[in-house]
């Protein structure tokens, strides 16, 4: 029997847990509830979970480790987070309970990525040395750690979203008809689809691009809500739809767009956009522009564009031909089909779990 720990299960993760459970039964424990989902502007996933009491002080989390000290739990999948005090307790006591522990996480801080890719966090290193295996979100971070720990037992799950296989199977929609339906008349349309809950998304750069583009030539579709969301009412070429959870509506809005644009903090939104056949455009990771681990999925000039600054961004958007956009969009969808399906993510996890039982 397996036990997995997560803070909560949002809608974009439910298919991973549901499909994994079909092939490797487990108990899923969550220490956050509906209030946390609402605060983060997330929809809840339909996955059976067990509630786990926990206490938080700043970044530190103390949950009840006694739930996991059971003889029928042979493998524990805990979070690769050095602020989880109880996880340290379990790792240090692991030899006495003869349980195997897998740590699952980014392997690096999004906010300190530039520094940690040169000098990885020593506390995370210690955690992984105490564990039996590590699940990384993407290959990029696994490769960084293997330079430090060459013999480590690790797998990259290739993090993806629940609906990805449904999305890539959809036919290419009629863009002209969709734009007529939603009253979008611009020659080139960019879409943004992410929560406005993190300053690292650099919404100021999104607003700057909107302000510096010709309203007759460029249109912007905005999907998302959150406490940092600006008022777009002053822009005639911005079409703001707020939070959208209706799959059909979202499919149509992406179908009406040419390019996905998110200045910073690009994460699973890149997977969704590429699945819809949209090249992903963003800014280069730096100390000023933070990017999530899924940023490594973007191949500059192949399935998206990575800009050094706003001047380059404006120049490239004007320079791009429709054929170039279409080609990158097709390559984006192919990249998802070949690397980022939910089937592949589940298989990667199962391979690691099966190895634990050998």
């Amino acid at each position: 029997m397996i036990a997995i720990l997560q803070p909560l299960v949002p809608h974009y993760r439910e298919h991973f847990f549901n499909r994994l459970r079909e092939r490797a039964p487990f108990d899923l424990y969550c220490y956050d509830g509906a209030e946390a989902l609402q605060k983060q502007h997330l929809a809840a996933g339909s996955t059976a979970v067990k509630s786990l009491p926990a206490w938080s002080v700043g970044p530190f989390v103390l949950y009840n480790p006694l739930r996991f000290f059971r003889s029928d739990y042979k493998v524990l999948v805990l979070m690769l987070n050095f602020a989880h005090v109880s996880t340290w307790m379990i790792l240090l006591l692991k030899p006495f309970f003869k349980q195997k522990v897998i740590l699952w996480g980014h392997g690096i801080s999004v906010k300190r990525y530039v520094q940690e890719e040169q000098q990885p966090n020593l506390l995370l290193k210690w955690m992984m040395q105490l564990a039996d295996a590590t699940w990384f979100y993407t290959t990029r971070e696994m490769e960084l750690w293997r330079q430090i720990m060459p013999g480590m037992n690790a797998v990259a799950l290739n993090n993806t979203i629940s609906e990805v296989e449904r999305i890539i199977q959809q036919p290419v929609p009629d863009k002209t008809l969709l734009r007529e339906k939603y009253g979008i008349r611009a020659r080139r349309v960019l879409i943004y689809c992410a929560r406005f809950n993190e300053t690292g998304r650099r919404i100021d750069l999104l607003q700057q691009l909107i302000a510096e583009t010709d309203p007759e030539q460029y249109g912007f579709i905005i999907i998302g809500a959150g406490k940092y969301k600006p008022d777009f009412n002053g822009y005639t070429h911005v079409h703001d739809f707020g939070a959208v959870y209706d799959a059909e509506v979202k499919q149509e809005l992406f179908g009406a767009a040419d390019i996905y644009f998110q200045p910073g903090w690009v994460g699973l939104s890149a997977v969704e956009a590429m699945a819809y056949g949209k090249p992903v455009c963003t800014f280069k990771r730096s100390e000023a522009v933070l990017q999530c681990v899924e940023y490594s999925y973007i191949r500059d000039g192949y399935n998206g564009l990575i800009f050094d600054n706003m001047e380059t961004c404006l120049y490239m958007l004007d320079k791009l031909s429709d054929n170039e956009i279409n080609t990158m969009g097709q390559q984006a969808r192919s990249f998802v089909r070949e690397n980022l399906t939910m089937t592949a993510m589940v298989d990667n996890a199962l391979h690691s779990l099966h190895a634990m039982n050998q």
Side-chain angles (χ1 to χ4, degrees), residues 64-110:
N64 182 5
L66 298 178
R67 290 285 187 93
F68 300 106
F69 292 144
R70 288 171 37 176
S71 59
D72 55 333
Y73 286 152
K74 304 301 182 184
V75 179
L76 308 179
V77 182
L78 307 177
M79 298 175 68
L80 180 57
N81 187 330
F82 63 77
H84 281 204
V85 179
S86 303
T87 301
W88 285 104
M89 295 167 59
I90 292 172
L91 288 169
L92 293 169
L93 293 172
K94 182 166 67 74
F96 299 100
F97 290 90
K98 298 181 180 179
Q99 293 172 312
K100 293 185 177 179
V101 176
I102 298 172
L103 296 176
W104 180 14
H106 294 145
I108 196 166
S109 167
V110 173

Side-chain angles (χ1 to χ4, degrees), residues 238-291:
V238 173
H239 307 266
D240 184 2
F241 294 87
V244 176
Y245 296 109
D246 185 306
E248 185 177 344
V249 173
K250 185 178 281 190
Q251 181 181 331
E252 290 183 344
L253 294 177
F254 270 94
D258 300 300
I259 291 169
Y260 182 79
F261 178 78
Q262 185 178 326
W265 208 268
V266 171
L268 284 172
S269 52
V271 178
E272 182 176 39
M274 286 193 281
Y276 280 115
K278 305 304 165 185
V280 177
C281 294
T282 188
F283 288 91
K284 184 177 180 180
R285 174 187 277 137
S286 66
E287 292 186 357
V289 179
L290 305 178
Q291 298 287 6

Side-chain angles (χ1 to χ4, degrees), residues 24-76:
F26 59 83
D27 287 335
L28 177 58
Y29 290 89
C30 292
Y31 57 83
D32 279 340
E35 185 178 341
L37 282 164
Q38 187 176 14
K39 186 178 292 186
Q40 297 181 48
H41 296 276
L42 291 169
S46 56
T47 302
V49 304
K50 294 178 180 289
S51 180
L52 181 68
W55 300 266
S56 299
V57 179
F60 298 98
V61 176
L62 179 68
Y63 57 83
N64 182 5
L66 298 178
R67 290 285 187 93
F68 300 106
F69 292 144
R70 288 171 37 176
S71 59
D72 55 333
Y73 286 152
K74 304 301 182 184
V75 179
L76 308 179

Side-chain angles (χ1 to χ4, degrees), residues 10 31 40 114 131 135 137 142 163 169 206 245 261 279-280 290:
Y31 57 83
Q40 297 181 48
V114 174
W135 289 356
Y137 276 48
M142 183 177 70
E163 296 294 325
Q169 290 168 3
L206 172 62
Y245 296 109
F261 178 78
V280 177
L290 305 178

Side-chain angles (χ1 to χ4, degrees), residues 283-318:
F283 288 91
K284 184 177 180 180
R285 174 187 277 137
S286 66
E287 292 186 357
V289 179
L290 305 178
Q291 298 287 6
C292 299
V293 294
E294 292 83 5
Y295 170 80
S296 64
Y297 297 155
I298 307 169
R299 310 283 172 83
D300 187 31
Y302 177 74
N303 58 11
L305 293 171
I306 299 174
F307 309 119
D308 289 326
N309 50 51
M310 183 58 71
E311 182 180 2
T312 305
C313 172
L314 290 164
Y315 172 77
M316 288 300 298
L317 290 177
D318 279 340

Side-chain angles (χ1 to χ4, degrees), residues 37-257:
L37 282 164
Q38 187 176 14
K39 186 178 292 186
Q40 297 181 48
H41 296 276
L42 291 169
S46 56
T47 302
V49 304
K50 294 178 180 289
S51 180
L52 181 68
W55 300 266
S56 299
V57 179
F60 298 98
V61 176
L62 179 68
Y63 57 83
N64 182 5
L66 298 178
R67 290 285 187 93
F68 300 106
F69 292 144
R70 288 171 37 176
S71 59
D72 55 333
Y73 286 152
K74 304 301 182 184
V75 179
L76 308 179
V77 182
L78 307 177
M79 298 175 68
L80 180 57
N81 187 330
F82 63 77
H84 281 204
V85 179
S86 303
T87 301
W88 285 104
M89 295 167 59
I90 292 172
L91 288 169
L92 293 169
L93 293 172
K94 182 166 67 74
F96 299 100
F97 290 90
K98 298 181 180 179
Q99 293 172 312
K100 293 185 177 179
V101 176
I102 298 172
L103 296 176
W104 180 14
H106 294 145
I108 196 166
S109 167
V110 173
K111 294 183 178 180
R112 298 183 297 276
Y113 199 107
V114 174
Q115 296 84 359
E116 289 189 12
E117 68 179 335
Q118 301 299 322
Q119 188 173 358
N121 187 287
L122 293 179
L123 289 174
L124 292 183
K125 180 180 179 181
W126 187 18
M127 289 189 91
M128 288 186 281
Q129 287 173 330
L130 291 170
D132 297 283
T134 305
W135 289 356
F136 290 97
Y137 276 48
T138 79
T139 303
R140 163 70 176 161
E141 290 70 42
M142 183 177 70
E143 290 174 345
L144 285 173
W145 275 106
R146 280 194 165 152
Q147 294 174 15
I148 307 298
M149 303 166 61
M152 73 182 305
N153 181 12
V155 63
L157 297 191
N158 283 342
N159 200 35
T160 192
I161 58 173
S162 287
E163 296 294 325
V164 68
E165 280 152 326
R166 178 193 62 79
I167 294 171
I168 59 178
Q169 290 168 3
Q170 298 300 315
V172 177
D174 188 317
K175 189 178 293 185
T176 301
L177 287 178
L178 289 174
R179 289 185 181 180
E180 288 178 2
K181 177 178 179 178
Y182 288 101
I184 301 170
R185 299 176 179 81
R187 176 183 65 87
R188 181 150 295 165
V189 179
L190 283 68
I191 185 169
Y192 170 99
C193 180
R195 290 169 291 151
F196 292 88
N197 66 331
E198 172 58 60
T199 57
R201 296 196 197 279
R202 294 301 306 270
I203 307 306
D204 59 314
L205 294 176
L206 172 62
Q207 288 182 282
Q208 183 180 350
L209 181 64
I210 291 170
E212 295 190 18
T213 48
D214 182 353
E216 297 296 321
Q217 297 295 317
Y218 286 89
F220 292 84
I221 294 171
I222 304 294
I223 300 175
K227 63 181 179 179
Y228 297 117
K229 184 172 183 175
D231 183 358
F232 291 110
N233 288 328
Y235 301 106
T236 57
H237 56 319
V238 173
H239 307 266
D240 184 2
F241 294 87
V244 176
Y245 296 109
D246 185 306
E248 185 177 344
V249 173
K250 185 178 281 190
Q251 181 181 331
E252 290 183 344
L253 294 177
F254 270 94

